């Protein structure tokens, strides 16, 4: 496969693993450059800066499809309920990070966006996160996730519905 020829699947034995890599490569990507102001006193990317990168990447998923200024004026919109993030490698000033995002699962009133962060220069996985959102109405009460949202967001390769 093309992913195998390009080196993305090097070391992988299974065709299923290579297929997953190809699917990940099709997810929307947003690249962020790390500046010294994004780092903590030890020179590593600050946790809060990473969360900011992830949020901006999620908005990049929505911006082409909706008027983001009117997002909270809709009959239903979503709010973050839970963030689960794991850090796998350090990130330093001067590096570029690539964030891929996709819809992992949809439940009745909630959905999960999966995000993966890799270094642009060597594809090292830096972080992975699952963000749980709850759909709410204008009074703040949970509502069923609108069907249109399922189609609006790109699906993570291992998505479960």
């Amino acid at each position: 496969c093309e992913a195998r020829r390009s080196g993305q699947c090097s070391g992988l034995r299974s065709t299923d693993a290579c297929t997953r890599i190809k699917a990940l490569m099709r997810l929307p990507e947003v690249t962020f450059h790390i500046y010294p102001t994004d780092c903590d006193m030890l020179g590593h990317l600050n946790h809060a800066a990473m969360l900011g990168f992830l949020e901006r990447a999620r908005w990049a998923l929505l911006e082409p499809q909706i008027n983001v200024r009117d997002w909270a004026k809709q009959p239903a919109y979503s709010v973050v309920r839970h963030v689960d993030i794991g850090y796998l490698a350090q990130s330093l000033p001067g590096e570029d990070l690539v964030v891929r995002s996709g819809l992992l699962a949809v439940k009745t009133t909630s959905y999960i966006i999966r995000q993966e962060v890799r270094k642009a220069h060597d594809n090292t996985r830096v972080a992975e996160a699952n963000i749980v959102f709850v759909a709410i109405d204008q009074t703040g009460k949970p509502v069923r996730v609108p069907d249109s949202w399922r189609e609006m967001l790109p699906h993570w390769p291992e998505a479960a519905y």
Side-chain angles (χ1 to χ4, degrees):
C1 72
E2 178 61 33
R4 191 174 294 282
R5 283 192 294 277
S6 70
Q8 295 292 326
C9 296
S10 61
L12 297 178
R13 296 176 192 220
S14 98
T15 302
D16 289 342
C18 190
T19 301
R20 182 179 177 277
I21 295 292
K22 288 192 318 188
L24 282 171
M25 291 169 57
R26 286 192 297 269
L27 288 172
E29 294 182 352
V30 180
T31 301
F32 296 99
H33 184 76
I34 301 173
Y35 293 97
T37 54
D38 297 320
C39 298
D40 60 23
M41 65 183 217
L42 300 175
H44 302 102
L45 180 64
N46 181 289
H47 172 72
M50 177 64 83
L51 291 175
F53 289 168
L54 294 175
E55 184 170 7
R56 287 173 44 205
R58 290 191 307 273
W59 278 112
L61 289 176
L62 295 175
E63 237 177 1
Q65 303 173 61
I66 66 166
N67 179 344
V68 295
R69 290 183 181 179
D70 294 334
W71 177 248
K73 296 176 187 173
Q74 304 178 95
Y77 61 98
S78 59
V79 293
V80 173
R81 179 179 182 273
H82 179 79
V83 175
D84 180 22
I85 186 167
Y87 294 96
L88 308 166
Q90 66 179 346
S91 302
L92 304 170
E95 293 180 327
D96 290 326
L97 299 179
V98 177
V99 180
R100 290 186 179 99
S101 307
L103 183 63
L104 181 65
V106 179
K107 298 181 181 178
T108 305
T109 62
S110 65
Y111 62 96
I112 302 170
I113 299 291
R114 174 115 171 115
Q115 294 183 281
E116 180 181 81
V117 183
R118 292 184 176 266
K119 292 184 181 188
H121 76 280
D122 66 2
N123 209 34
T124 298
R125 194 166 52 159
V126 171
E128 53 192 19
N130 289 329
I131 317 295
V132 178
F133 292 86
V134 174
I136 60 173
D137 65 16
Q138 289 296 324
T139 67
K141 293 183 178 149
V143 296
R144 186 178 191 285
V145 174
D147 290 335
S148 61
W149 294 6
R150 299 167 198 257
E151 301 306 317
M152 181 172 51
L153 298 169
H155 295 187
W156 195 264
E158 300 164 357
Y161 299 93

